[in-house]
Amino acid sequence: MRKFKTAVKNRTNYIYYTAEGKPIVITPGMVGEDGKAVTESLITMLHDWDDNDVDAERHEEYYCPVHYDGYHDGDGDDADDRNPYLEDDTYNPLQQILTSIANEERSLQIEKLKVALSQLTDKQKDTIVKKFYRNMTNVDIAAEEGVSEAAIRNRLTKIYATLKKKI
């Protein structure tokens, strides 16, 4: 988008840029592919459209950040005090998309973990149950099974490595 409007005295032609960046110069009296001649009023209209686009962009660049920053400076407490509705990102479309992606990735990881856990040996499954479901320490597991704490630590390390490969 241009930063400046075209001056009225320079509106003798109109330069249009294609998507490839190739300039096309339109001048009064040209005959288009449809057989119609280009008039000065058409060129004036094209420049006016561009001027309106430039005005709209300037308005957005100036007013939107100033308006938003006036209500929310990005730091929690004072912004929350002034505008409690800004702290809730529930209906923010970007936040909804990010939450949806995170939930989908999490559910995929959980499914992979379930499959990987089902492929462990009974002894490994028992160790996982004791460690994570019964919240036992390595020392408690070792005492219950009659092995050393180092053996339990090694077993857990092997289990973690196996799960990491499968997930």
Side-chain angles (χ1 to χ4, degrees), residues 88-104:
D88 182 17
D89 272 349
T90 307
Y91 299 106
N92 179 347
L94 177 61
Q95 189 62 36
Q96 288 178 341
I97 291 170
L98 293 174
T99 303
S100 172
I101 291 170
N103 290 342
E104 186 175 331

Side-chain angles (χ1 to χ4, degrees), residues 35-101:
K36 296 182 180 178
V38 176
T39 61
E40 287 185 30
S41 63
L42 175 64
I43 291 190
T44 302
M45 182 179 67
L46 291 171
H47 281 289
D48 286 342
W49 285 350
D50 278 354
D51 291 347
N52 289 337
D53 286 346
V54 169
D55 287 341
E57 186 173 308
R58 285 181 183 165
H59 183 270
E60 187 174 332
E61 285 176 3
Y62 180 76
Y63 288 104
C64 291
V66 170
H67 176 75
Y68 182 73
D69 289 342
Y71 288 97
H72 179 49
D73 63 359
D75 294 330
D77 295 337
D78 58 341
D80 294 344
D81 290 343
R82 287 181 285 169
N83 296 297
Y85 67 89
L86 288 175
E87 66 186 89
D88 182 17
D89 272 349
T90 307
Y91 299 106
N92 179 347
L94 177 61
Q95 189 62 36
Q96 288 178 341
I97 291 170
L98 293 174
T99 303
S100 172
I101 291 170

